[in-house]
Amino acid sequence: MPTSAIRLVRLTGRLLLALAAVAMLVVAFLVLIALTDGAGSGLAAWLTTLGVGAVLAMWLGRRRTWPARLVPFLPVVVAAALTTSVCIPTAPTARRYPPALPFVTTQHWSLSTGSRVAVYHYPPADPGTRHPIPLVYLNGGPVRGISVLDHRFLQLLARQGYDVYAYEQAGGGRSDLLPMSQYTISRSVRDLAAFVDRLNKGKVDILGFSSGGTVLTRALADPSVAAGLHRAIIAEPGPMDGPTAHITGHKGRESARGLAPAMSGPRSTHVPRYAVAFGLMRLGLLTPDTGLIGQAEGDNAFTAADLGSDTASAYCARDAHRIPAEDTAQNFSFSPAASLRVQQTVKDSSSIARLLRQSRTPAMLMIAECSSQVRQWATAVLAHDPAIQRTQYMPGVGHHMWNGLDENNGRAAAVITAFLQDEPAPLPDYPTRDEIPTFLRDHK
C-alpha cells in the first residue's frame, strides 16, 4: 500500500476516534444533566464533563512529546463548545406576559387560595336576553392561555345572552406563576371554588374543555365545590384520576396528526438548550422543577410551533389542510413544565369513582368524532357520574370542537345552550351508559 494511502487510513482512524470521543463526552454531559437535574443551569454537568475529559486527555498524552500532548484535548474542546449552548439562556429568565387583548379587558383577581389569575368577562350582547346564571369557562392545557379561537367562541355565547366569565388558570396566559410544587390538580379544583366565591353571583354554570373538563369532573366529586355549581358541561375531558390516566385504549376516528402540514414559525426546540430541557422533561429524565431552565424562561421560550402535531391531532383528518390558526404569536402562552407537573399529579391520584357516584349536579358530556383523547377518559365519567343527563356525540369535529370551521361553532353552541336551558337536545343522547361497550367497539 502506498505511503500516502497508509497516512490517509491512519488520519481517518484518528478522526473517527476523535469524533467518537466527542460523542462520548456529549452523551456523558446529557447523562449528568439528568443525574443532577440540570443543577446550576447545567453548569454542574458541564464542568464535571469538562474536568473528567481534561483528566483523561492528560493521561492519554502523558508519554507524548509536548506538542503532541495537546492532541487528546481537541475532543474535549469540541465537546465543551457543543455543550456550552445548553447552559446559556437565550430567552428572558423573568416572565414576559402576553400583551393585553384588543377586544376584551383583562382583569386580575387574587383568589383566597393565593393564586392571582387573569379574568375575562363577556356580558350578554343584548341585556334583554340575559340568562340569569353566569357561565364560567375552564380552558384546556393544562396551564395554557386561552386561545383567540376560544375567545371568539365565548363571544358567540355572549351574543346568545350568556354572561360569560373565563379565567386563565394559575401559571397560564396572563395569570401569575406559582412555585412549581403548587401546580397540582387539587390546586386547580380549589382555584375553581375560590373563583366562584370571588365572583359572588350564586351558583354558576361551568363549561370545562379538555383538561378543564378534568378539573370540572373532580369538582363534581367534591361536595364542597359542587355546591356552587348549577350545571356542568364536560367537553372532551382528560383523565379524571390515576386509574383512568393509565388506561390505554380506543381513540376517535382518524385525526389530522401526520397529515397536516408542519406548523410554521420559530421553535424553541431548535435551540439546543430548550431541545434538551423539554425533551428530557418529556421523557421524565428531568423534573418540572429542573435547575436547567426556570419556569419563567421555559414559558417565554415555548412557542405554538413547539406543539407540533398536537395541534393537528385536535382536528379531523378531512380538515388536515385547513386547520385554522388557533392563536396569535403574541397571545400564545403555554407552560410545559407546569403542565407536565399537573398531569403527573393526576396520574398519581387515587380513584375518584366512588365520590363521583355521589354527584347530584346536572351534567352533560360532549364527545368528538375524531377525538384524539382515549375514549375511556370520557366514558369513565359517564359510567360513574349518575347526574349526567345527556351525552352529545359531535360528528365531523375533532378534539377542538368549536374551531371556526364551517358551522362547528354554531353546532357546539346549540348543544351547550340547549342543555343550559333544559331544552330538547339537538343531537341524540348517545352514548348512554348501557351503550358504552358498543360505543367503544364501533367508534374508534
Side-chain angles (χ1 to χ4, degrees), residues 98-389:
L101 291 164
F103 50 80
V104 64
T105 300
T106 305
Q107 305 174 52
H108 284 92
W109 290 7
S110 295
L111 306 181
S112 59
T113 56
S115 298
R116 187 170 181 269
V117 298
V119 181
Y120 309 94
H121 180 211
Y122 292 104
D126 181 0
T129 61
R130 184 188 191 107
H131 296 287
I133 298 173
L135 174 62
V136 175
Y137 177 60
L138 289 175
N139 68 300
V143 199
R144 179 175 176 175
I146 298 174
S147 70
V148 170
L149 202 60
D150 281 4
H151 277 289
R152 290 174 185 154
F153 184 65
L154 300 181
Q155 291 171 326
L156 171 61
L157 294 175
R159 288 196 297 271
Q160 297 186 1
Y162 290 92
D163 193 17
V164 180
Y165 289 84
Y167 69 94
E168 289 169 319
Q169 297 170 49
R174 296 163 185 82
S175 294
D176 286 4
L177 306 182
L178 295 175
M180 191 59 67
S181 61
Q182 294 185 27
Y183 289 108
T184 65
I185 189 61
S186 58
R187 173 61 173 264
S188 299
V189 175
R190 292 198 303 273
D191 279 353
L192 170 60
F195 180 84
V196 174
D197 287 344
R198 173 71 171 74
L199 187 59
N200 195 28
K201 290 181 177 290
K203 288 191 173 185
V204 300
D205 294 326
I206 305 279
L207 168 59
F209 167 65
S210 193
S211 63
T214 299
V215 175
L216 178 53
T217 301
R218 295 181 71 94
L220 294 173
D222 185 333
S224 64
V225 182
L229 309 185
H230 176 253
R231 284 182 173 247
I233 300 169
I234 305 166
E236 281 284 287
M240 66 182 188
D241 55 23
T244 310
H246 289 93
I247 292 175
T248 55
H250 307 294
K251 294 187 178 182
R253 302 196 192 281
E254 186 181 13
S255 76
R257 181 188 290 270
L259 301 174
M263 290 188 67
S264 60
R267 294 173 183 257
S268 68
T269 48
H270 288 169
V271 179
R273 177 173 176 82
Y274 306 113
V276 169
F278 297 145
L280 293 182
M281 272 194 279
R282 190 82 181 240
L283 294 171
L285 298 176
L286 286 180
T287 67
D289 203 16
T290 175
L292 182 57
I293 61 171
Q295 178 188 173
E297 182 189 349
D299 293 3
N300 293 334
F302 202 88
T303 69
D306 286 321
L307 293 174
S309 59
D310 284 354
T311 297
S313 70
Y315 294 83
C316 290
R318 66 178 73 94
D319 297 325
H321 294 281
R322 59 170 193 155
I323 293 176
E326 294 192 342
D327 216 343
T328 63
Q330 294 75 26
N331 185 63
F332 177 81
S333 172
F334 182 68
S335 178
S339 181
L340 288 172
R341 163 77 181 163
V342 173
Q343 292 177 63
Q344 190 59 51
T345 64
V346 174
K347 293 176 183 177
D348 293 340
S349 67
S350 57
S351 172
I352 65 167
R354 180 182 60 82
L355 297 171
L356 191 58
R357 292 190 193 104
Q358 301 171 25
S359 175
R360 297 296 177 266
T361 304
M364 178 178 73
L365 180 65
M366 296 175 70
I367 304 176
E369 178 185 6
C370 310
S371 177
S372 56
Q373 307 284 77
V374 174
R375 288 298 197 193
Q376 286 90 331
W377 293 351
T379 58
V381 180
L382 176 61
H384 296 295
D385 185 352
I388 290 182
Q389 297 179 347

